Amino acid sequence: MSDLVEFVQNEFIEKKEFPKFSAGDTITVYYEIKEGEKSRTQFFRGVVLQLRGTGATKTFTIRKMSGSVGVERIFPINLPAIQKIEINKKGAVRRKRIFYFRELTGKKARIKEARRS
């Protein structure tokens, strides 16, 4: 049964090429919004909290601050509305899922930038 599911996912779901990113990175996701007959591109820029799942069911969670309120959004990696993903900053974190980041405020909420080699 799982072979059949994998076959259908590989054949019928179109795959887009996005840059590799991980938890702690600051990224910008450009996605299309349709309002009636009009469509426009909107972006969501924030810190990646987690990557979850594999293959066609892979999702990632992004958190940004809107004023003093934290806003989180979960994007499926195969969402047809996603136009592109830009990596703004590579973060140096030790964990794959940084949910502790939600409680941090001020200077503690900064993530060190990863060294480029």
Side-chain angles (χ1 to χ4, degrees):
M1 185 69 180
S2 64
D3 295 335
L4 180 64
V5 172
E6 282 183 31
F7 173 76
V8 171
Q9 288 177 350
N10 291 337
E11 289 295 318
F12 298 110
I13 296 177
E14 70 177 67
K15 293 181 177 71
K16 297 180 181 178
E17 291 298 318
F18 294 122
K20 297 281 185 195
F21 58 89
S22 61
D25 295 352
T26 302
I27 65 172
T28 306
V29 178
Y30 294 89
Y31 59 100
E32 189 176 21
I33 292 181
K34 292 182 181 173
E35 297 169 334
E37 296 187 13
K38 296 180 184 179
S39 66
R40 62 186 173 87
T41 301
Q42 187 171 342
F43 67 90
F44 194 91
R45 181 179 181 183
V47 176
V48 178
L49 290 186
Q50 73 171 345
L51 284 156
R52 165 179 234 161
T54 59
T57 61
K58 192 171 190 178
T59 62
F60 57 97
T61 305
I62 302 179
R63 179 180 177 84
K64 75 172 185 178
M65 293 302 292
S66 182
S68 62
V69 179
V71 179
E72 289 184 15
R73 176 133 189 211
I74 300 171
F75 288 99
I77 201 82
N78 288 322
L79 186 69
I82 294 179
Q83 294 175 342
K84 69 177 179 176
I85 297 175
E86 287 180 355
I87 298 177
N88 303 106
K89 205 168 32 169
K90 286 289 226 183
V93 294
R94 294 183 179 187
R95 300 184 186 185
K96 287 280 191 187
R97 297 182 177 174
I98 55 171
F99 297 129
Y100 65 89
F101 190 67
R102 293 172 177 159
E103 280 79 41
L104 301 180
T105 57
K107 285 187 176 181
K108 291 181 180 180
R110 293 183 188 167
I111 294 178
K112 288 185 181 177
E113 195 162 352
R115 291 184 181 173
R116 303 227 168 132
S117 56

